[in-house]
Amino acid sequence: MITAVTYGVKISVESVFRKDLSNTENSVFFFNYRVEIENTNSFDVQLLTRHWLIFDSLNPAREVKGDGVVGVQPIIKSGDKYTYVSGCDLHSEMGSMKGFYSIMKLDTNEIFKVAIPKFNMITAPKLN
């Protein structure tokens, strides 16, 4: 699991190759990633947006932006965690993702960026 902390918000990510959802003969490699967001601050926060940079070793990088994660903009109370699972397809056997969340401090409406640490997506055969 890869972890980073920005302004008291801890982001931990791990990924797994999903052979059952992939079509390797047609160069489609699907990965799930699990993100845990922990608010270590003394105040509540809300995740507003996400911004991903997706690197595919044999293809151009992609950028994905949008509101919330998996259809929600979760409020994370002080000391609590929010976890979700999502997915990404690549057209090669190796890639990575990184990015940031826009987070709002609920008591002041201040918005700040929280880094999502770079994590790799690699099929099992490429790990050897």
Side-chain angles (χ1 to χ4, degrees):
M1 186 173 278
I2 305 297
T3 300
V5 179
T6 310
Y7 298 116
V9 179
K10 180 179 175 182
I11 308 294
S12 301
V13 187
E14 61 184 343
S15 67
V16 62
F17 173 60
R18 295 289 306 271
K19 186 175 182 178
D20 59 320
L21 298 177
S22 298
N23 184 339
T24 57
E25 295 81 29
N26 291 317
S27 296
V28 177
F29 303 89
F30 193 84
F31 296 83
N32 277 130
Y33 56 90
R34 179 180 175 272
V35 179
E36 180 179 274
I37 304 165
E38 182 177 359
N39 181 8
T40 67
N41 293 296
S42 59
F43 49 83
D44 299 346
V45 298
Q46 183 174 17
L47 189 156
L48 300 177
T49 65
R50 68 189 182 285
H51 185 143
W52 287 106
L53 296 174
I54 303 168
F55 300 95
D56 192 336
S57 65
L58 298 176
N59 296 283
R62 292 181 281 167
E63 196 171 14
V64 175
K65 300 176 187 180
D67 291 338
V69 290
V70 294
V72 297
Q73 293 178 307
I75 292 174
I76 309 165
K77 295 196 176 293
S78 173
D80 282 354
K81 297 177 185 178
Y82 179 80
T83 302
Y84 73 94
V85 175
S86 192
C88 178
D89 65 318
L90 299 179
H91 298 287
S92 69
E93 297 169 298
M94 296 187 306
S96 64
M97 290 177 66
K98 68 179 182 178
F100 63 86
Y101 298 121
S102 293
I103 303 281
M104 183 169 59
K105 184 178 175 189
L106 290 179
D107 60 350
T108 65
N109 292 335
E110 173 190 354
I111 297 174
F112 55 95
K113 292 180 182 177
V114 172
I116 305 167
K118 179 182 173 184
F119 62 94
N120 293 322
M121 296 178 290
I122 303 173
T123 63
K126 289 294 178 185
L127 291 174
N128 293 330

